[in-house]
Amino acid sequence: MSSETMQIGEVAARTELSLRTIRHYEDAGLVTPSARSQGGFRLYTESDVARLMVIRRLQPLGFTLDETRALLDAMDRLDSGVHLLPRERARLLDRIRGFEQAAQHRVEDLRTQLNRAQELADTLAGRLARR
């Protein structure tokens, strides 16, 4: 194995995803190992790790696998180096912009939930302190 690739265990440690989750994302078509070792082990690159990090960051925001796939497809097309017609490029950028806006909205919702949870924890701590 070269220093440019890593096995699934190292990828799991770096991404904080389980081996099972990484394999599930592979089965779902979200990520594909860049290579296989002579022994058949999955080999990943930094680019694969970056892709898994995008997926990992989308999951707590409630994006579905289909939504994740749509975002990754748009990113892949933009990053492919293939010449895109201006209309196609604009469409892909609009798709990514929509995901960015949705992510911002979901982050705000999570902040609200977190603030409410913190208020509850503070209230309970206050009750306990008075006892």
Side-chain angles (χ1 to χ4, degrees):
M1 177 171 64
S2 78
S3 61
E4 297 174 6
T5 60
M6 61 203 95
Q7 290 186 1
I8 194 169
E10 183 179 346
V11 173
R14 290 190 50 197
T15 61
E16 298 178 351
L17 294 168
S18 69
L19 300 177
R20 183 177 178 194
T21 298
I22 295 170
R23 288 183 187 117
H24 172 68
Y25 291 155
E26 181 182 349
D27 291 341
L30 298 177
V31 67
T32 303
S34 289
R36 293 266 181 174
S37 71
Q38 289 181 345
F41 294 106
R42 294 166 173 86
L43 298 176
Y44 297 88
T45 62
E46 289 296 328
S47 178
D48 298 326
V49 170
R51 185 178 188 87
L52 284 164
M53 292 301 293
V54 169
I55 297 166
R56 191 188 95 186
R57 291 176 178 132
L58 286 167
Q59 295 309 301
L61 296 176
F63 288 97
T64 67
L65 291 180
D66 286 339
E67 290 170 325
T68 299
R69 188 176 296 104
L71 174 59
L72 291 171
D73 288 346
M75 292 169 59
D76 290 346
R77 290 277 297 143
L78 285 170
D79 295 343
S80 70
V82 172
H83 175 73
L84 298 171
L85 296 174
R87 175 183 275 164
E88 174 71 4
R89 181 173 173 74
R91 186 183 67 76
L92 293 168
L93 290 171
D94 283 345
R95 183 182 300 169
I96 292 172
R97 192 171 296 111
F99 277 98
E100 187 270 336
Q101 291 168 350
Q104 290 292 348
H105 179 71
R106 292 173 187 193
V107 165
E108 285 304 314
D109 289 346
L110 288 171
R111 280 193 182 112
T112 298
Q113 291 177 22
L114 182 59
N115 286 335
R116 290 177 183 155
Q118 186 63 56
E119 289 169 0
L120 173 62
D122 293 345
T123 297
L124 296 173
R127 287 183 74 89
L128 291 172
R130 290 191 304 259
R131 300 287 168 192

